Amino acid sequence: QLRLATGQRINSAKDDAAGWVIGKGMEAQARGLAQALSNVGDAGSLIGVADSGLQSILDILITMKEKVTQAASDTLGTNERSAVESQLDDLASEIDSIVAQTTYNGVALIDGTYTSKTFQIGAATTDTMAVDISSDHSAASLAASQGEQALTLLRLAYLLAECGFLSFEGVEKPAPAKQAEPPSPPLPKE
C-alpha cells in the first residue's frame, strides 16, 4: 500500500535491500553535487563582490590620474594645486573606504587578508578550487605597487572562466587546454 501512496518501487530496505542501498548512494551523490553547484555559485558571488569593489577603485584611480595631469599644468596657481591635492587626499580616503566595505559574509576581500580559501566544487574531496586574494588594495598599497595588484581578481576570474565556472558577456569561454599526447614507444633496434 505504501508503494501506491509514494509511487516508488522501493520505499525501504525490506522491499529490495540492494536496490535501496544503490538508490541511497545515488541520492547522496546527487545531493553532494547539488551542494557543490551551490558552492560554485557562492564563489561566483564572492568574486562579483570583490570585482565590484575593484572596479570602483579603478574608476577612482582614473579620476586621480586626471587630477594629477590637471595639477601638472602651469596654468594652475598654488591655491588651485592645493585644492587638487585635497581632492586627491579625499579620493585616496574613498579607496580605503571601499577596501574596508568590500566584504562577503562579513569577511574582507580586497584588504590583503583573504588568503588560502578553498571552495568545494565537486562531489570528491579533491574537487576543490583555491582562492587567494592576497594583495592589499588600499590607497597606500596601490601607490606603492603602481596599481599592479588590481589585476589579481581579473586573473582569478579568467581562471574560473577556463574551468567553466564563470562566463563573461560577449567573451567566449577559453578553449580547454590540449592534453599532451603520450610519448611514442621506442623503436626496436635492428
Side-chain angles (χ1 to χ4, degrees), residues 8-166:
Q8 296 178 346
R9 185 180 75 79
I10 303 171
N11 293 299
S12 67
K14 72 177 182 179
D15 294 334
D16 178 358
W20 185 80
V21 169
I22 291 170
K24 285 298 178 184
M26 291 174 73
E27 179 185 350
Q29 185 178 15
R31 289 175 62 181
L33 288 172
Q35 184 57 52
L37 184 58
S38 176
N39 292 352
V40 169
D42 291 345
S45 295
L46 180 139
I47 289 170
V49 169
D51 180 55
S52 177
L54 289 177
Q55 185 60 49
S56 296
I57 290 171
L58 180 59
D59 292 342
I60 291 172
L61 290 174
I62 290 170
T63 302
M64 290 176 91
K65 177 166 177 36
E66 178 184 356
K67 296 293 181 187
V68 167
T69 303
Q70 177 187 11
S73 174
D74 283 334
T75 60
L76 296 182
T78 305
N79 291 340
E80 290 85 4
R81 284 196 174 109
S82 293
V84 169
E85 186 177 351
S86 176
Q87 289 175 339
L88 289 172
D89 290 341
D90 291 344
L91 290 169
S93 294
E94 182 63 23
I95 287 175
D96 290 338
S97 176
I98 290 169
V99 168
Q101 293 174 8
T102 303
T103 61
Y104 190 83
N105 284 339
V107 177
L109 297 178
I110 58 175
D111 68 348
T113 61
Y114 195 82
T115 59
S116 304
K117 305 299 181 188
T118 304
F119 292 94
Q120 185 69 34
I121 58 171
T125 57
T126 56
D127 294 339
T128 60
M129 176 181 67
V131 176
D132 192 307
I133 308 174
S134 59
S135 299
D136 181 4
H137 294 85
S138 65
S141 179
L142 288 173
S145 67
Q146 301 173 4
E148 191 61 31
Q149 296 167 340
L151 298 175
T152 303
L153 199 59
L154 183 60
R155 290 183 185 122
L156 176 61
Y158 278 104
L159 174 65
L160 284 173
E162 265 183 39
C163 296
F165 298 120
L166 183 66

